[in-house]
Amino acid sequence: MGLGALTDAIEQAELSPCAGDLIDGFVLLDRLTARLIDTVGAFDRSGLWALDGASSMAGWLKANAVRTGGDAVSLTKIARLLHALPVTAAAFGEGRLSYGQVQTIAANVNIKTVELFAEHEGDVVPTFESLTIKQTADAMQYWARHAGALCDDPEPSDPINTVSHSSLLNGTGRLDGTFDAETNALVTKAFAIAETPWQEGEPVRTAGERRADAFVDIFEFFLQNHQRNTGSHNLPHIHLSMSIDDLRNHTGATTVDGAGLSHNQVRRLCCDATISRVVMNGTEIIDFGRSERLAPKALLAVLALNDRTCRYPGCDRKPSWCHAHHVRHWEDGGETKFENLTLLCSRHHRLIHKPGWALVMLPGRIIEVTTPIGAVLTSHPPNRHGPEPCRKAAA
Ligand SMILES: [Zn+2]
Ligand SMILES: [Zn+2]
């Protein structure tokens, strides 16, 4: 039977949205994936990929099978491992191991340990057939820890700590990383500390969005506190260029790398920035002014002493995680003085500058936040929590 019959079978298959069809469908998908990976392995060993001008099997998969770089590398690695692991390959092909389980096995076996796993797979793999991905991962990690000690040369050949970061054509970026167990524990701990809980009025965030917010906090914290250049509380090194017309017309700005930023993003960055005036005639610089730090260190210290934490209602982020927010925006003529500044943590600073949000400071440094749905939340300054709550008279 050729692939034409398979195409017909896929088109004619009737899948109903019930648990049984979904589970069976995924088993079939995995069995087809097993056949494809087996074929990838044979194509890889034949070297036929070179005829298409590719420099590797993974490169061929990217260019001709339209796989992402990560998928192409992973498919090639799994194909090579399975060629040396007949029991695992058979269990995968017959639908007894899922693709997720095979990926989990591959993640814990490398070129130095594959021979040892080939000796053990006959005993180990049948026990995996009833396990979840998590249980399979636990068992394989246990095996990998002990395999290192049994191999002559336990040095792993795969790069374990690796991060890929790419700037995309639209100015956004993508980050992907793999860590060894020790680094992963460090990363997990940092995320746990940097993640902040939901506060009243905020939109609900997904787990990925919470982690991204934590990630931004970790990066900002480093940029504000590292000691490489100018001592403590450095500024994030984003350089924006903005013409007088951009400033007046609220048309946003571009970074020196050419990425466009919206008007709201520019307003937020201007809250806590160093501003330099550069007068240009076309591309020629005619004059430039002294760099001016909007909120100098002394003013930040006064803010920290007064506000103590982020002033978003309910948030307790400490000053070292916070920005000085101009209540009346700097762009609109808001002054850089204590009366017009308040501390906001990086996440709440980004939130408050989004469309639909408003923050005002009332007498006595009481902060009122209005959410996009019109809810008004109040934050009193520390030690001034408003009237004491009523106490029950003693009986
Ligand atoms: Zn601000
Ligand atoms: Zn906050």
Side-chain angles (χ1 to χ4, degrees):
M1 182 180 97
L3 286 182
L6 182 60
T7 309
D8 291 345
I10 291 171
E11 281 167 5
Q12 284 158 22
E14 282 176 17
L15 281 165
S16 35
C18 65
D21 274 15
L22 269 177
I23 292 166
D24 292 347
F26 276 109
V27 171
L28 285 173
L29 178 65
D30 283 354
R31 293 188 66 183
L32 182 61
T33 304
R35 293 289 301 275
L36 267 173
I37 288 179
D38 188 44
T39 313
V40 164
F43 194 70
D44 183 20
R45 291 189 297 281
S46 74
L48 286 174
W49 41 265
L51 298 182
D52 287 326
S55 59
S56 66
M57 183 65 216
W60 186 93
L61 284 169
K62 264 175 84 174
N64 297 278
V66 206
R67 298 299 94 187
T68 63
D71 278 352
V73 169
S74 165
L75 287 166
T76 309
K77 181 191 167 182
I78 291 174
R80 287 175 188 169
L81 287 175
L82 288 183
H83 187 60
L85 301 172
V87 175
T88 308
F92 184 27
E94 288 157 20
R96 286 180 281 116
L97 280 186
S98 76
Y99 184 36
Q101 288 177 296
V102 171
Q103 288 174 302
T104 307
I105 293 170
N108 288 284
V109 176
N110 59 47
I111 217 156
K112 299 260 167 67
T113 57
V114 68
E115 270 183 39
L116 188 67
F117 192 70
E119 287 173 29
H120 295 169
E121 65 170 351
D123 296 327
V124 171
V125 167
T127 68
F128 287 176
E129 290 170 14
S130 57
L131 300 186
T132 64
I133 295 286
K134 170 81 173 68
Q135 290 164 334
T136 310
D138 288 345
M140 280 308 298
Q141 284 167 19
Y142 179 84
W143 180 86
R145 277 197 299 277
H146 292 83
L150 293 171
C151 285
D152 296 339
D153 178 7
E155 270 308 291
S157 62
D158 299 331
I160 292 179
N161 272 330
T162 170
V163 171
S164 79
H165 173 226
S166 39
S167 298
L168 306 180
L169 291 173
N170 64 0
T172 62
R174 188 185 162 81
L175 191 71
D176 199 7
T178 309
F179 309 110
D180 62 27
E182 184 189 347
T183 311
N184 190 46
L186 190 93
V187 169
T188 307
K189 179 93 194 237
F191 273 135
I193 293 171
E195 273 190 26
T196 43
W198 179 85
Q199 302 292 345
E200 197 187 347
E202 291 178 354
V204 174
R205 294 171 293 156
T206 63
E209 287 167 340
R210 283 201 306 276
R211 221 170 293 123
D213 283 334
F215 206 65
V216 171
D217 275 3
I218 291 166
F219 272 63
E220 282 203 353
F221 191 80
F222 168 74
L223 287 170
Q224 289 188 359
N225 294 286
H226 76 82
Q227 301 288 326
R228 294 226 175 123
N229 296 325
T230 52
S232 64
H233 209 88
N234 298 308
L235 288 166
H237 291 181
I238 299 174
H239 295 278
L240 293 184
S241 97
M242 181 166 43
S243 71
I244 285 287
D245 285 343
D246 288 339
L247 187 64
R248 285 198 188 118
N249 300 334
H250 296 173
T251 42
T254 51
T255 69
V256 288
D257 301 325
L261 296 182
S262 73
H263 171 57
N264 282 322
Q265 288 173 312
V266 170
R267 271 178 182 267
R268 174 168 51 78
L269 290 168
C270 282
C271 269
D272 193 7
T274 304
I275 308 286
S276 308
R277 171 179 54 85
V278 181
V279 183
M280 311 274 289
N281 179 14
T283 55
E284 183 195 357
I285 296 175
I286 299 172
D287 183 30
F288 58 90
R290 196 166 60 89
S291 285
E292 211 169 297
R293 176 70 195 282
L294 277 188
K297 270 185 194 169
L299 191 46
L300 284 171
V302 173
L303 269 181
L305 277 171
N306 270 274
D307 285 350
R308 307 272 176 85
T309 62
C310 166
R311 290 294 313 276
Y312 186 94
C315 184
D316 60 359
R317 269 293 204 226
K318 296 281 178 265
S320 53
W321 296 81
C322 290
H323 300 166
H325 168 68
H326 282 62
V327 176
R328 184 174 179 217
H329 296 311
W330 172 81
E331 261 184 277
D332 301 336
E335 288 183 72
T336 305
K337 58 180 190 182
F338 177 67
E339 293 75 15
N340 190 43
L341 295 174
T342 186
L343 284 187
L344 285 178
C345 72
S346 149
R347 183 163 76 81
H348 285 128
H349 197 198
R350 276 177 279 136
L351 189 69
I352 256 358
H353 277 275
K354 284 189 174 163
W357 290 82
L359 181 150
V360 292
M361 185 147 61
L362 305 175
R365 293 187 73 76
I366 292 167
I367 299 288
E368 252 185 28
V369 171
T370 308
T371 73
I373 56 160
V376 178
L377 312 166
T378 306
S379 149
H380 291 273
N383 303 329
R384 273 175 272 168
H385 288 289
E388 283 282 301
C390 292
R391 291 206 183 104
K392 267 190 183 163

